Amino acid sequence: MAVYFDHRIDAPDSNGETTLITWHSAQPLLAVGSFNPASGGCVDIYLQQGERVELCHVERVCAPALLRWHPTKSVLAVGWETGETLLLTHPHGENTLLPNNTHTACITLLQWSCSGARLVTGDQAGVLVVWKLDARGRLNGTHIMKQTYNKPLTNCIFRPTPPTEDVAMLAKAAVSGDEDALDKFNWKKSGKRGGVWSPGSQEGLVIYISTSDGCVYSVDEHGRSVHLLTVEGRVQKLCYLERRAVLAVVTDSLLLSQFSLDPEGGAQELSKVKLSGRGGQSLDLVWTENRLLITASGDQTIRLWDLERDDNYVLSLDENLGFEKGELLNCVSFCAAKAVLAAGTSRGRVAMWQMVTLTNQKGDTKTHWRLQTPTELEGNITQLQWGSSLQLLAVCNSSTVLILSEHVMSSHYSQQGAAVQLSPTQLSLTCFTSNTHFTLRTDTHIRAVQVTKDTVTVWDGRCVTVYEKSGQSLRSIASFQCDSAALVVHEENIYTVEPNRVQVRTQQGTVKQLLVFTEAEGNPVMLSVCGSYLAVGTDTAHVRVFDLSRREAKPLCNAKNMAELIPDLGALKSVKCNAHGSQLSILVTQVNGRPAHRVYFYDVEMDTLSHFDFFTGRPLSGLSQSDDSHSAQHEEAELAGRYPFSQFWDESEPRLFVCETVLVNSEYHITNHSHATDKVGVSVVTFFMTQEYGLLLHDSQPRPAALQGLLALDTPYYYYTCKLLFRRGGVFLPHPGELDTSSLTPAAVPSSCHMVVRRALRDFVGLEECEKQTRDAMLNFSFYLTIGDMDEAFRAIKLIKSRGGETSRLSLGQRIISTDQ
């Protein structure tokens, strides 16, 4: 489950009302324009947590009219109501004015070409100017083209050049000194992906512009302007559909027209349709990369038009998720990287829909949208925009601007204690040994949490705070500053990372030992503790295990490079060790960024690697532990076509391993891994892993639908977090059907619902309260039954001594009989 942390920008009160917001496409830089009638307008740049960049501040007596970031450089184009235009550079704040008197009316157009080699400016008087910039984003002389249309300019887009360029001829021209040819190569090199120039993806030198009277013109690199078409009303939006060579035009009265464009510069109308909804100034309209037109116009629905499939539909809010009756949707923004549509409401909420692709057996796809729990802010939300490579969301309401960053809810289980994040600053804590539950509220946003028998450690990304358990309350006993990519706790030691080393700290933050990695071994980025062992994974795909049982951490093995053993390895995704430190389990992503189908097991003592392939449903050897070929085929069919996305070793039993898997061809294809635990068709698969027998399938069962995800395996229970359905007062609450309050004291429950539930392992149903001797015997029984050693399984039964022992042995005998059958 993900939650969005909100950071209010650090804007001076004198700035007045915010009028403009825009993100840099790659860097976490937010430009904000504001206007105060008493002091004038200003533009500021803010960082991802709302920190204001002092040097990047410009003021004028008038209001800023438009803001546009260079696509790759940290250069901001600013247009003012007086026609003045300047380029503001982050972080030093240099600003370059475009030549005076170029524009004398309010700026209405600011548009960078795809690589930033050209900048188009236009104004209310109809003056259009094209500028050339160098590789650093600086003006290269005066403008290269100027046109006057005598009508206010409303829109501007660049058309990609058709893939008909002769690459060899272009290269020869570039070598001989042709600046335009050279520019095309340079522009591609400075683009988002870099790499080699290809003729189908180069800079477009044809510009389409529109005027307030509904006229659309094309302008080429030589300054020739040709009237293409005229529509009824003011043009609100232009979009070029490259695959079909179609220009789509939307007017402020919501008239959508599509025109085919021929090579000679003509346009022929293909269709014209009146879109439903309210147009005018309140209309907010966005195009997506897959050619969806999405609009919000201040009513209770979002409208979508699929131009490729000629389909349209609406999205609405759901009161069961925490929205209010009559809540209006004012503005929209779509994040292609996350496949998430965000909308701002009149009641201060941000609604988000996850874009989901459904695939049937014929391979046909259909798009669905799943409404998420709202993010509650305040005021009437008037603007929002996704941006930067971090996929941050800027939200403008009636009083301020907030930056939302996604954070997967933190959770942790250890030594019969569990912590689950309820809100950015609140944790739900459960102690199963004392049957108590309570909450912890912090002063900062929680980015990670670790629980031990006596402490709860919270990290906000910059500061670590340690709380000590005292009855039904917690008290802060230590706090220190720490910038680390990962953090884990074992007993009284805190483990953090910095380049090429793991730091072993006291609870007060003092570094008392360094676990050093060579430059080739890389920087530690993953830490995991099981029992008294620490597993470490690096950004160069090296893994290592340390023994923490002594005064100083001791390495059990040299760093092992998984890239040498795993084909097509892109990066490590998860590294865990068992309770004896003898086995490492590893999940990875492939070179193409997709999750691998396999879970890998590295035997620390034997220095060997094995795996289980969930795509085929077989281990490395391809053999099943079952002697029944029909049963083996059935088990393989149940496991096949899946991939693992989370993994855990038993807290104390070194042989027992569990992972969650999901169908590769599940009907829910969600690109963002933070939503992985929301997927349907999740199976929880448990294995025994030993040196002698290898990997043995023990059990496979579907995860209950109302549960969010697996938190831990601690025999005799699986521990799950509850699925969060809605939130009240800024705090998420669990699915009402999963509130397991039977084992908790009544006095401990009312503060808030606990978020962790237990489900017994298959062989422990009815034996949940057994003592350690019985539990160990039961595990041995399960293991020997799995490998088919019935004599040892019967011997394990004889060792079981518990309350109602005869009943327990009888149930085990029935289990053996059912297995034999």
Side-chain angles (χ1 to χ4, degrees):
M1 180 68 187
V3 64
Y4 283 85
F5 290 172
D6 56 277
H7 300 276
R8 186 184 299 264
I9 65 169
D10 185 22
D13 294 336
S14 59
N15 280 10
E17 181 182 358
T18 298
T19 57
L20 302 168
I21 56 173
T22 184
W23 278 109
H24 193 286
S25 60
Q27 302 178 46
L29 300 173
L30 176 66
V32 176
S34 54
F35 180 70
N36 187 331
S39 57
C42 65
V43 173
D44 287 282
I45 295 176
Y46 298 89
L47 304 181
Q48 67 186 80
Q49 294 190 10
E51 309 98 320
R52 180 168 169 259
V53 182
E54 297 289 343
L55 295 176
C56 296
H57 173 82
V58 289
E59 298 179 356
R60 294 294 185 270
V61 294
C62 61
L66 279 178
L67 304 175
R68 291 288 185 273
W69 280 104
H70 188 284
T72 58
K73 311 297 180 185
S74 53
V75 176
L76 177 70
V78 183
W80 302 87
E81 287 186 346
T82 58
E84 181 184 354
T85 307
L86 60 86
L87 303 179
L88 177 64
T89 304
H90 174 270
H92 303 298
E94 301 105 340
N95 58 80
T96 305
L97 290 174
L98 272 61
N100 290 334
N101 300 322
T102 302
H103 297 286
T104 58
C106 180
I107 296 297
T108 58
L109 288 184
L110 278 181
Q111 187 66 45
W112 296 94
S113 58
C114 297
S115 69
R118 299 287 190 272
L119 173 65
V120 175
T121 60
D123 62 29
Q124 190 77 20
V127 177
L128 178 79
V129 183
V130 180
W131 309 85
K132 185 175 181 179
L133 291 94
D134 63 19
R136 297 184 179 180
R138 299 177 303 188
L139 283 178
N140 192 351
T142 59
H143 59 263
I144 60 174
M145 190 272 287
K146 184 175 183 179
Q147 288 281 352
T148 303
Y149 294 91
N150 299 315
K151 297 280 183 164
L153 303 176
T154 59
N155 283 273
C156 170
I157 60 173
F158 281 79
R159 188 191 76 181
T161 301
T164 56
E165 295 278 3
D166 187 319
V167 179
M169 293 297 293
L170 193 65
K172 292 179 181 178
V175 171
S176 64
D178 187 315
E179 288 192 5
D180 286 337
L182 185 61
D183 278 345
K184 291 177 181 178
F185 284 100
N186 288 337
W187 297 341
K188 182 58 185 173
K189 289 177 183 177
S190 65
K192 294 179 181 179
R193 296 186 181 270
V196 180
W197 177 85
S198 61
S201 59
Q202 69 200 39
E203 181 86 53
L205 298 179
V206 176
I207 306 167
Y208 298 118
I209 64 164
S210 63
T211 59
S212 59
D213 59 353
C215 294
V216 178
Y217 300 84
S218 68
V219 183
D220 64 19
E221 67 268 31
H222 303 295
R224 291 189 294 265
S225 178
V226 177
H227 177 264
L228 279 181
L229 56 98
T230 302
V231 294
E232 301 172 10
R234 182 180 183 275
V235 177
Q236 180 95 347
K237 207 80 170 180
L238 294 175
C239 181
Y240 182 72
L241 309 180
E242 185 176 356
R243 190 166 64 88
R244 295 164 49 201
V246 167
L247 185 67
V249 183
V250 181
T251 67
D252 57 1
S253 60
L254 286 183
L255 184 68
L256 169 63
S257 304
Q258 298 186 62
F259 298 85
S260 64
L261 304 176
D262 56 58
E264 290 73 29
Q268 181 178 0
E269 185 175 89
L270 298 177
S271 66
K272 181 167 64 175
V273 60
K274 179 67 170 64
L275 306 178
S276 56
R278 296 185 299 177
Q281 295 297 319
S282 63
L283 177 68
D284 192 19
L285 183 153
V286 297
W287 292 102
T288 71
E289 293 181 358
N290 54 352
R291 304 313 172 196
L292 278 176
L293 173 64
I294 307 174
T295 66
S297 54
D299 54 23
Q300 297 181 40
T301 57
I302 299 289
R303 293 177 170 83
L304 301 93
W305 289 266
D306 188 333
L307 301 188
E308 297 288 347
R309 293 185 171 90
D310 193 25
D311 189 19
N312 67 88
Y313 46 94
V314 299
L315 303 177
S316 57
L317 303 178
D318 185 349
E319 294 178 37
N320 293 326
L321 289 178
F323 295 96
E324 297 181 34
K325 185 176 182 180
E327 199 162 355
L328 305 179
L329 294 155
N330 300 325
C331 46
V332 289
S333 184
F334 181 74
C335 178
K338 294 164 64 69
V340 170
L341 172 65
T345 78
S346 58
R347 307 288 174 84
R349 295 183 180 89
V350 177
M352 294 192 189
W353 286 266
Q354 179 72 55
M355 185 178 180
V356 178
T357 302
L358 304 181
T359 305
N360 61 22
Q361 295 180 346
K362 298 179 180 179
D364 299 328
T365 61
K366 188 174 182 180
T367 299
H368 281 209
W369 298 85
R370 289 195 303 159
L371 181 60
Q372 311 293 308
T373 304
T375 298
E376 298 183 2
L377 302 176
E378 57 186 23
N380 181 39
I381 297 176
T382 56
Q383 298 180 65
L384 44 75
Q385 186 185 91
W386 292 103
S388 89
S389 59
L390 302 178
Q391 286 84 54
L392 304 171
L393 181 65
V395 180
C396 180
N397 60 20
S398 52
S399 59
T400 188
V401 175
L402 299 107
I403 298 173
L404 303 186
S405 58
E406 186 182 23
H407 170 69
V408 177
M409 288 288 208
S410 298
S411 59
H412 186 244
Y413 172 91
S414 179
Q415 298 173 289
Q416 291 293 299
V420 178
Q421 190 172 7
L422 296 177
S423 76
T425 59
Q426 186 171 339
L427 290 171
S428 169
L429 301 168
T430 304
C431 180
F432 290 95
T433 54
S434 60
N435 292 331
T436 56
H437 168 78
F438 45 98
T439 59
L440 171 66
R441 290 178 174 84
T442 64
D443 297 328
T444 58
H445 288 169
I446 301 166
R447 295 191 178 275
V449 60
Q450 291 276 296
V451 296
T452 66
K453 183 179 180 180
D454 301 313
T455 64
V456 176
T457 302
V458 173
W459 179 58
D460 67 0
R462 296 178 178 177
C463 180
V464 176
T465 304
V466 181
Y467 296 87
E468 186 178 59
K469 299 176 183 177
S470 177
Q472 292 294 307
S473 63
L474 294 168
R475 63 184 184 92
S476 176
I477 60 171
S479 181
F480 60 92
Q481 295 296 311
C482 179
D483 186 6
S484 173
L487 179 144
V488 294
V489 177
H490 176 256
E491 295 182 349
E492 296 183 357
N493 292 331
I494 299 173
Y495 299 81
T496 60
V497 301
E498 63 179 11
N500 300 118
R501 64 190 67 192
V502 175
Q503 301 161 317
V504 185
R505 297 174 179 265
T506 65
Q507 292 179 339
Q508 289 72 36
T510 303
V511 177
K512 63 180 186 179
Q513 186 183 0
L514 293 176
L515 311 179
V516 180
F517 289 70
T518 66
E519 185 174 348
E521 292 167 353
N523 302 313
V525 292
M526 296 177 185
L527 303 178
S528 177
V529 170
C530 185
S532 296
Y533 295 89
L534 170 69
V536 182
T538 75
D539 56 3
T540 59
H542 285 72
V543 298
R544 204 170 180 185
V545 182
F546 295 87
D547 182 354
L548 310 181
S549 62
R550 304 180 184 183
R551 187 175 64 87
E552 289 192 344
K554 178 183 177 182
L556 288 187
C557 60
N558 294 324
K560 192 70 176 179
N561 186 2
M562 291 295 109
E564 296 178 351
L565 303 175
I566 300 176
D568 299 323
L569 187 149
L572 301 180
K573 183 181 176 183
S574 174
V575 177
K576 301 285 183 74
C577 67
N578 68 354
H580 284 181
S582 58
Q583 293 281 349
L584 273 174
S585 59
I586 304 164
L587 303 183
V588 305
T589 55
Q590 302 174 66
V591 175
N592 59 14
R594 296 177 180 176
H597 304 142
R598 298 173 174 178
V599 55
Y600 293 90
F601 296 90
Y602 176 63
D603 190 311
V604 174
E605 299 172 354
M606 302 296 293
D607 191 24
T608 57
L609 185 75
S610 59
H611 71 254
F612 188 93
D613 192 334
F614 282 98
F615 191 77
T616 62
R618 295 184 177 185
L620 175 63
S621 64
L623 301 175
S624 171
Q625 67 267 24
S626 175
D627 294 329
D628 186 344
S629 59
H630 176 75
S631 175
Q633 292 174 2
H634 176 73
E635 288 177 351
E636 291 173 3
E638 287 291 321
L639 296 178
R642 312 182 76 85
Y643 71 84
F645 64 87
S646 78
Q647 58 165 350
F648 302 89
W649 289 91
D650 189 278
E651 291 282 301
S652 56
E653 170 54 57
R655 296 174 295 179
L656 206 54
F657 171 82
V658 64
C659 61
E660 290 180 289
T661 70
V662 69
L663 287 170
V664 173
N665 295 319
S666 169
E667 62 178 3
Y668 286 96
H669 296 285
I670 302 177
T671 58
N672 186 359
H673 295 306
S674 69
H675 296 279
T677 55
D678 289 333
K679 295 180 181 180
V680 298
V682 174
S683 286
V684 178
V685 186
T686 310
F687 297 94
F688 282 109
M689 181 65 183
T690 66
Q691 283 185 357
E692 182 180 2
Y693 295 97
L695 193 67
L696 304 170
L697 175 65
H698 173 55
D699 189 22
S700 177
Q701 57 182 270
R703 188 185 68 196
L707 297 180
Q708 180 68 22
L710 191 63
L711 178 63
L713 172 61
D714 192 0
T715 306
Y717 292 109
Y718 298 109
Y719 289 80
Y720 293 95
T721 57
C722 292
K723 183 170 288 187
L724 306 172
L725 294 187
F726 63 96
R727 92 180 169 178
R728 182 178 299 146
V731 177
F732 288 93
L733 298 178
H735 188 289
E738 292 298 333
L739 301 185
D740 183 14
T741 60
S742 59
S743 63
L744 299 180
T745 58
V749 175
S751 58
S752 72
C753 300
H754 62 285
M755 294 299 303
V756 179
V757 296
R758 304 185 294 187
R759 295 290 181 266
L761 276 71
R762 179 187 62 184
D763 293 336
F764 282 88
V765 174
L767 299 173
E768 295 91 342
E769 301 302 323
C770 62
E771 71 280 0
K772 184 179 186 303
Q773 183 181 4
T774 302
R775 183 168 64 248
D776 292 343
M778 187 69 228
L779 279 170
N780 288 331
F781 164 77
S782 299
F783 173 73
Y784 291 123
L785 197 63
T786 300
I787 65 174
D789 191 335
M790 306 307 294
D791 292 337
E792 291 296 332
F794 275 110
R795 288 191 184 96
I797 292 177
K798 295 177 181 179
L799 295 176
I800 294 178
K801 294 180 180 180
S802 63
R803 291 172 295 178
E806 290 298 326
T807 303
S808 300
R809 286 195 287 271
L810 178 61
S811 66
L812 295 179
Q814 293 173 342
R815 166 91 170 85
I816 295 174
I817 293 172
S818 65
T819 304
D820 289 340
Q821 292 175 345

